[in-house]
Amino acid sequence: MKISELRSIYLKFFKEKGHSVIASASLFPEDDPSVLFTSAGMHPLVPYLLGQTHPEGIRLTNVQKCIRTTDIEDVGDTTHLTFFEMLGNWSLGDYWKKEAITWSYEFLTSKKWLGFDPNKLSVTIFAGDEDSPRDDEAAEVWKSVGIPDERIYFLGKEDNWWIAGNSGPCGPCSEMFIEVDEIPKCGPDCRPGCHCGHFVEVWNDVFMMYNKSEDGKYTPLKQQSIDTGMGVERTAAMLQGVPSVFDTEAFIPLIEKIKELSSMEEFSKEEDTQIRIIADHVRSAIMIMADDRQVGPSNVEQGYIVRRLLRKAIHSADRLNIGTGFMIELTDLVVDMFKDVYKEVERNQEFIVKNLKAEEEKFRKTLTKALRRFDRIFQESNTITGQDAFLLFTSFGLPLEMTRDLAEERGIAIDMEQFTKQFEEHREKSRTATQGKFKGGLADHSEEITKLHTATHLLQTALRKVLGKEVTQNGSNITDERLRFDFTFSRKLTPDEVEQVEKMINDVIAQDIAVEQSFMKYDDAIAKGALAFFKENYGEEVSVYNIGEFSLELCGGPHVKSTAVLGKFRIAKQKKIGAGIVRIRAVLESNS
Ligand code: SER
């Protein structure tokens, strides 16, 4: 079965079970909930899992584009990817474990749908701990559909508990694994969750029933919800009976092209891994750059991830004697693969090509400097310590793999332990930072953050009234201390304009205007003049917030009930952050 068919029959199946099909949200979390990327289908739905009303109803299904940077070091094995698509179905306070599991089983095994052999299906279930009991309810449902005890595994929180970040909606989950005959079990203890490749996880049903607070406490959610996620590329590989995601049509054209561009005839196992890394990393970077926000490689946030992916790909390409410009050759293939599913990919092709070209040139220049530094360190100390390797990585963008190869060429081995330790510490820090970034996100409904969400709507309208309609939102980020708003405009505001914007907002606040939510068709909202951040994020039926007559904007919320609680609005800082983009930081102060 082809990937395109898998996508469409999944949606068809859940449509038949009463679900509304919603569009994939952007890879950049909407309304910037302050995570770098959408990394699971449930991210854009967090407010609804917490109880907000979704305009499309209480049963939803979709295909979601995802980026998982935490998997970057695993790319090259049979299943891990940095960009992938996830199929999902959601119950928002509606059906529960019985329906979710029964439907998962039906879709996976019925000949009418995926038709996997039920004897090859194993499942895992939460074993229970001090926070939540063993999930016997899920086990009973699996048994009732015919999964025998020996293919039901009870595992702990690391395997069978889902939460995005550190806090927010969460609960026990049940994962489904297909056994791959071609890869034998690695030993008597081989079980689902083992990395040898025998058991491939294809789907995860999460039973959202708690909210975890920042201080680690679990409280029951006011509604129980279902969140499921099925990896498209993995499931396609299993359906096609091929040994890895790289053997599906999501990668075959890319891999063939990479091989063709290399002057080599034969490829070792290690070289095959490099080819997989190139294909994955270039594909992911292209999909990130394809977003209408047009973020190219840089040293910050999402741009940094694009840079890291591309530099690693260039390094791997160099090892296979692939000349410059290969990433541009791959672009057409990626665009062809996705242009019918995600329209923005073709729309932004020119931007992507321009950036790929510029980044390769830039990296090759930095590389000369990095190599000079490498040689100097080597001449001075006759070795390259793990610390040196780490410095070359953080200061010059020299991929760790490249430093290792250079050292090997000079006949020295890097102290991998020291190197890995530093790297792991760095990874851990960035992982914690990424998780920390969830604070202030859609999952965070603290009073301050809610107020700043409303203030952001006021700011956008005020800017458009003072500066003109060319002002449109380019990004927004909220912590409990300040809002940050990026918008298109050619220059910074004059002091007089800053004053006008502040006064206009403070007047609206003083009038204590009601903030109201309504639901309507996307086209009707636009016809009424509602501001929409990016079209791709919205389904047909949308949630709209109005602040009296002053502001009308598409948004999932949350917002304050009326404006007086906001206090006093002040623009704290403004800065030009790129050609035609200005960034404002603003705060709310108490009136007293
Ligand atoms: N959120 C869960 C996951 O990503 C299920 O969708 O695995």
Side-chain angles (χ1 to χ4, degrees):
M1 183 182 295
K2 292 281 170 220
I3 285 176
S4 54
E5 194 187 345
L6 172 61
R7 285 193 200 101
S8 73
I9 70 163
Y10 184 91
L11 300 179
K12 182 163 181 270
F13 178 85
F14 282 102
K15 233 165 129 174
E16 285 181 13
K17 308 285 185 204
H19 293 63
S20 305
V21 179
I22 57 168
S24 170
S26 163
L27 277 176
F28 291 65
E30 187 183 339
D31 210 14
D32 191 1
S34 63
V35 268
L36 282 185
F37 293 107
T38 300
S39 68
M42 56 82 73
H43 274 177
L45 294 168
V46 167
Y48 310 102
L49 293 167
L50 286 168
Q52 267 186 68
T53 309
H54 193 284
E56 303 272 352
I58 51 178
R59 292 185 181 191
L60 308 172
T61 182
N62 75 350
V63 186
Q64 176 64 50
K65 309 179 267 190
C66 300
I67 290 276
R68 280 200 188 163
T69 49
T70 40
D71 287 344
I72 196 166
E73 300 304 320
D74 294 320
V75 172
D77 69 3
T78 55
T79 53
H80 286 92
L81 296 171
T82 51
F83 169 86
F84 64 98
E85 294 177 273
M86 193 184 261
L87 301 163
N89 57 285
W90 285 271
S91 152
L92 304 175
D94 184 26
Y95 59 83
W96 191 228
K97 295 181 190 175
K98 181 162 177 287
E99 292 86 342
I101 291 176
T102 314
W103 289 338
S104 290
Y105 182 78
E106 181 187 350
F107 185 69
L108 284 174
T109 61
S110 160
K111 289 267 182 294
K112 188 171 167 213
W113 304 102
L114 299 190
F116 281 115
D117 177 354
N119 297 316
K120 297 276 173 252
L121 179 63
S122 302
V123 300
T124 59
I125 287 173
F126 182 55
D129 63 8
E130 65 284 3
D131 299 318
S132 184
R134 178 178 139 116
D135 196 354
D136 289 320
E137 190 184 347
E140 284 313 313
V141 187
W142 280 119
K143 279 185 212 164
S144 76
V145 295
I147 303 287
D149 281 334
E150 63 272 21
R151 279 192 277 114
I152 300 181
Y153 296 78
F154 287 89
L155 304 175
K157 266 221 178 77
E158 324 77 78
D159 291 279
N160 280 100
W161 191 269
W162 174 268
I163 184 162
N166 288 327
S167 61
C170 58
C173 62
S174 178
E175 296 188 323
M176 288 149 261
F177 294 78
I178 304 289
E179 283 185 67
V180 182
D181 289 337
E182 291 71 27
I183 306 176
K185 281 189 181 176
C186 60
D189 294 333
C190 188
R191 59 151 176 89
C194 168
H195 290 292
C196 73
H198 178 72
F199 289 98
V200 172
E201 184 212 332
V202 290
W203 205 351
N204 186 14
D205 286 356
V206 184
F207 314 117
M208 293 282 182
M209 52 195 291
Y210 299 100
N211 189 28
K212 186 180 175 200
S213 59
E214 289 286 327
D215 58 6
K217 284 206 185 70
Y218 293 88
T219 41
L221 283 171
K222 64 177 184 233
Q223 65 176 32
Q224 293 182 328
S225 293
I226 297 289
D227 150 32
T228 91
M230 174 188 275
V232 168
E233 295 82 353
R234 288 174 180 201
T235 309
M238 294 298 103
L239 287 166
Q240 294 170 15
V242 293
S244 84
V245 290
F246 297 97
D247 300 292
T248 67
E249 74 276 25
F251 284 97
I252 290 170
L254 300 175
I255 287 178
E256 279 175 358
K257 187 69 178 180
I258 295 166
K259 286 189 171 168
E260 185 191 313
L261 291 170
S262 153
S263 53
M264 296 160 62
E265 308 254 302
E266 300 271 307
F267 299 91
S268 64
K269 195 162 180 292
E270 171 51 27
E271 284 156 353
D272 274 333
T273 304
Q274 297 307 321
I275 294 173
R276 290 176 171 190
I277 290 174
I278 299 170
D280 169 84
H281 288 12
V282 175
R283 183 175 105 125
S284 297
I286 289 176
M287 292 308 284
I288 300 171
M289 289 192 285
D291 192 277
D292 287 326
R293 286 158 189 75
Q294 295 205 327
V295 173
S298 74
N299 282 337
V300 294
E301 305 199 332
Q302 289 95 343
Y304 175 68
I305 302 294
V306 175
R307 171 155 288 164
R308 188 161 162 221
L309 289 164
L310 294 179
R311 291 187 174 194
K312 271 190 76 184
I314 296 170
H315 169 55
S316 295
D318 283 354
R319 293 171 71 183
L320 301 172
N321 298 326
I322 296 172
T324 52
F326 69 98
M327 301 194 286
I328 293 165
E329 303 242 7
L330 298 176
T331 308
D332 280 345
L333 300 171
V334 178
V335 173
D336 271 350
M337 258 177 228
F338 289 115
K339 68 179 180 204
D340 295 330
V341 194
Y342 308 110
K343 301 277 180 249
E344 62 279 9
V345 181
E346 198 170 21
R347 210 159 47 226
N348 293 304
Q349 188 166 357
E350 209 178 298
F351 171 80
I352 296 168
V353 169
K354 195 177 86 194
N355 275 279
L356 288 175
K357 227 165 141 184
E359 182 63 8
E360 188 168 355
E361 278 167 21
K362 210 175 202 164
F363 181 45
R364 295 206 180 279
K365 271 195 208 133
T366 325
L367 204 52
T368 319
K369 277 195 214 141
L371 294 180
R372 239 184 267 138
R373 172 62 74 96
F374 180 98
D375 282 332
R376 214 173 69 212
I377 300 172
F378 183 62
Q379 273 159 18
E380 278 167 12
S381 58
N382 231 357
T383 186
I384 298 286
T385 64
Q387 202 122 15
D388 295 331
F390 189 68
L391 171 104
L392 288 163
F393 168 63
T394 47
S395 316
F396 295 93
L398 195 66
L400 301 170
E401 302 75 5
M402 200 157 175
T403 310
R404 188 182 52 206
D405 295 348
L406 290 168
E408 262 171 26
E409 280 165 23
R410 285 158 183 78
I412 51 167
I414 295 176
D415 179 350
M416 284 307 279
E417 213 170 292
Q418 191 186 11
F419 170 106
T420 313
K421 192 170 158 269
Q422 294 247 344
F423 183 58
E424 283 301 328
E425 271 171 24
H426 174 83
R427 245 172 91 171
E428 202 40 57
K429 263 189 221 145
S430 47
R431 203 177 287 145
T432 320
T434 309
Q435 286 172 351
K437 271 177 167 275
F438 224 73
K439 188 163 161 48
L442 290 173
D444 191 334
H445 284 193
S446 74
E447 208 183 312
E448 284 316 309
I449 282 173
T450 307
K451 285 184 189 169
L452 285 160
H453 268 299
T454 308
T456 304
H457 282 215
L458 293 176
L459 175 61
Q460 174 158 217
T461 303
L463 287 170
R464 285 167 66 89
K465 284 190 197 282
V466 173
L467 304 176
K469 295 266 186 308
E470 68 263 40
V471 168
T472 48
Q473 176 169 348
N474 190 267
S476 127
N477 171 290
I478 296 173
T479 68
D480 43 20
E481 269 145 26
R482 55 103 185 116
L483 68 82
R484 199 178 79 194
F485 185 73
D486 299 343
F487 59 100
T488 48
F489 198 59
S490 56
R491 56 167 175 82
K492 281 167 61 170
L493 280 65
T494 64
D496 183 47
E497 286 163 343
V498 170
E499 213 181 300
Q500 280 184 56
V501 170
E502 286 176 342
K503 182 169 179 325
M504 194 177 281
I505 294 174
N506 285 319
D507 283 350
V508 174
I509 295 176
Q511 289 167 45
D512 197 14
I513 298 177
V515 183
E516 295 155 327
Q517 185 183 26
S518 51
F519 298 103
M520 59 187 85
K521 291 250 171 296
Y522 176 83
D523 292 339
D524 293 344
I526 299 300
K528 283 179 98 175
L531 299 177
F533 185 15
F534 283 109
K535 184 172 187 323
E536 58 174 291
N537 292 341
Y538 305 110
E540 264 181 36
E541 186 88 0
V542 294
S543 158
V544 180
Y545 276 90
N546 73 293
I547 306 173
E549 301 280 304
F550 186 74
S551 141
L552 183 67
E553 204 173 307
L554 264 68
C555 177
H559 286 281
V560 300
K561 295 215 164 4
S562 78
T563 57
V565 293
L566 299 186
K568 188 160 178 277
F569 176 91
R570 184 169 64 81
I571 293 181
K573 243 189 222 165
Q574 56 158 334
K575 191 163 130 196
K576 241 186 120 200
I577 56 162
I581 309 219
V582 179
R583 167 170 290 178
I584 279 182
R585 281 173 205 268
V587 292
L588 290 170
E589 293 164 341
S590 69
N591 274 322
S592 52

